[in-house]
């Protein structure tokens, strides 16, 4: 490793590059997807204060999504056997050891509780798409954009974003709603995803969109009533 690199400068540089990178833009039928905000990944020994902050931001976003009629999907790591994990996780120590079905660590964090109308997709590896029902669910919902939240930014979020990009979804990664205890990995992954796969966006940008969607939904019945009068 080059010991002369100033990593603070490098992080500032990639943040600037990310801000200036051309945006793909949103779709017309979004869904919010919450990646791995389970107890195993939000209450472990290495988390920092940023985890609670990301969870709080995400809960605000989810409440706004539901109010706007935007589908909410939780992708959660659930293993019937630890042998279901990919090879590297079977060889090395991994938080996925806590993810066997029935283990309390698999529970969704109480900070982002699912609503009865939300969808839960079980997965066994990093990507929410690999051998899951997510493709069928998105087709059923008519979704053309995925708004990503969750953990870890450099792991399961990025893996799911890459697979979503391969399927040509519009992709919005909400910066404040993604968490990674590997701080540098998280920052680099946000730049990598913005550069190659989708758009890194702010929570406020998404909230403004949801508010506009609510307004449009409220105007439609009024217009229909006026036409009948």
């Amino acid at each position: 490793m080059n010991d002369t690199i100033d990593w603070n400068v490098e992080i500032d540089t990639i943040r600037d590059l990310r801000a200036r990178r051309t945006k793909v833009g949103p779709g017309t039928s979004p869904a919010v997807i919450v990646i791995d905000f389970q107890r195993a990944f939000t209450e472990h020994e290495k988390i920092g204060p940023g985890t609670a902050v990301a969870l709080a931001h995400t809960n605000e976003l989810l409440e706004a999504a539901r109010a706007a009629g935007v589908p909410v999907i939780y992708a959660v790591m659930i293993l019937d056997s630890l042998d279901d994990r990919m090879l590297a996780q079977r060889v090395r120590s991994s938080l996925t050891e806590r993810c066997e079905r029935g283990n309390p660590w698999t529970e969704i964090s109480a900070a982002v509780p699912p609503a009865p109308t939300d969808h839960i997709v079980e997965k066994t590896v990093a990507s929410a798409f690999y051998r899951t029902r997510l493709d069928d669910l998105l087709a059923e919902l008519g979704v053309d954009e995925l708004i990503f939240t969750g953990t870890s930014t450099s792991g399961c979020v990025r893996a799911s974003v890459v697979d979503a990009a391969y399927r040509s979804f519009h992709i919005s990664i909400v910066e404040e709603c993604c968490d990674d205890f590997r701080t540098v990995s998280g920052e680099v992954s946000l730049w990598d995803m913005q550069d190659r796969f989708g758009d890194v966006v702010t929570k406020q940008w998404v909230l403004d969109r949801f508010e506009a969607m609510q307004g449009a939904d409220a105007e439609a019945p009024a217009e229909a009533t006026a036409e009948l009068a």
Side-chain angles (χ1 to χ4, degrees):
M1 180 179 293
N2 189 340
D3 293 333
T4 64
I5 293 176
D6 186 329
W7 290 104
N8 290 320
V9 171
E10 291 296 313
I11 293 298
D12 287 341
T13 298
I14 63 174
R15 285 177 175 173
D16 180 61
L17 289 169
R18 173 156 55 87
R20 292 190 287 112
R21 188 69 162 122
T22 301
K23 293 285 199 290
V24 175
T28 59
S29 181
V32 177
I33 184 162
V34 185
I35 304 291
D36 286 359
F37 267 158
Q38 299 163 257
R39 291 186 58 209
F41 307 114
T42 60
E43 299 178 19
H44 60 84
E45 299 78 6
K46 295 181 181 179
I47 64 165
T51 300
V53 174
L55 287 166
H57 282 307
T58 300
N59 194 52
E60 181 184 0
L61 190 84
L62 297 180
E63 290 179 351
R66 295 176 187 121
V70 173
V72 173
I73 303 166
Y74 289 79
V76 294
M77 179 76 74
I78 302 289
L79 304 166
D80 288 319
S81 167
L82 293 182
D83 290 335
D84 292 339
R85 298 176 297 167
M86 61 185 182
L87 177 61
Q89 291 178 338
R90 299 199 304 269
V91 172
R92 302 169 184 153
S93 177
S94 168
L95 291 170
T96 57
E97 294 169 359
R98 304 175 178 182
C99 291
E100 279 193 290
R101 189 180 302 279
N103 189 324
W105 283 104
T106 63
E107 296 169 1
I108 294 170
S109 170
V112 286
T117 55
D118 296 342
H119 307 269
I120 296 177
V121 173
E122 296 182 0
K123 65 190 185 72
T124 59
V125 297
S127 174
F129 287 92
Y130 182 75
R131 294 183 177 178
T132 73
R133 68 183 188 96
L134 184 57
D135 278 313
D136 290 340
L137 176 60
L138 296 176
E140 177 185 329
L141 295 172
V143 168
D144 69 352
E145 176 190 0
L146 287 172
I147 299 173
F148 279 90
T149 69
T151 190
S152 67
T153 310
S154 61
C156 296
V157 173
R158 184 184 180 280
S160 300
V161 163
V162 172
D163 278 356
Y166 291 161
R167 290 160 169 79
S168 289
F169 283 101
H170 292 263
I171 295 167
S172 300
I173 305 111
V174 188
E175 181 174 3
E176 299 96 325
C177 299
C178 291
D179 181 50
D180 201 322
F181 70 90
R182 308 170 185 86
T183 307
V184 174
S185 293
E187 287 286 350
V188 172
S189 293
L190 286 174
W191 160 233
D192 178 66
M193 289 186 285
Q194 173 64 62
D195 187 38
R196 295 184 173 127
F197 304 114
D199 296 339
V200 177
V201 301
T202 65
K203 180 189 72 172
Q204 190 59 53
W205 181 82
V206 179
L207 292 177
D208 289 345
R209 286 181 62 199
F210 289 167
E211 184 177 359
M213 292 171 68
Q214 274 189 276
D217 288 344
E219 290 173 6
E223 291 174 357
T225 301
E227 290 176 0
L228 293 173

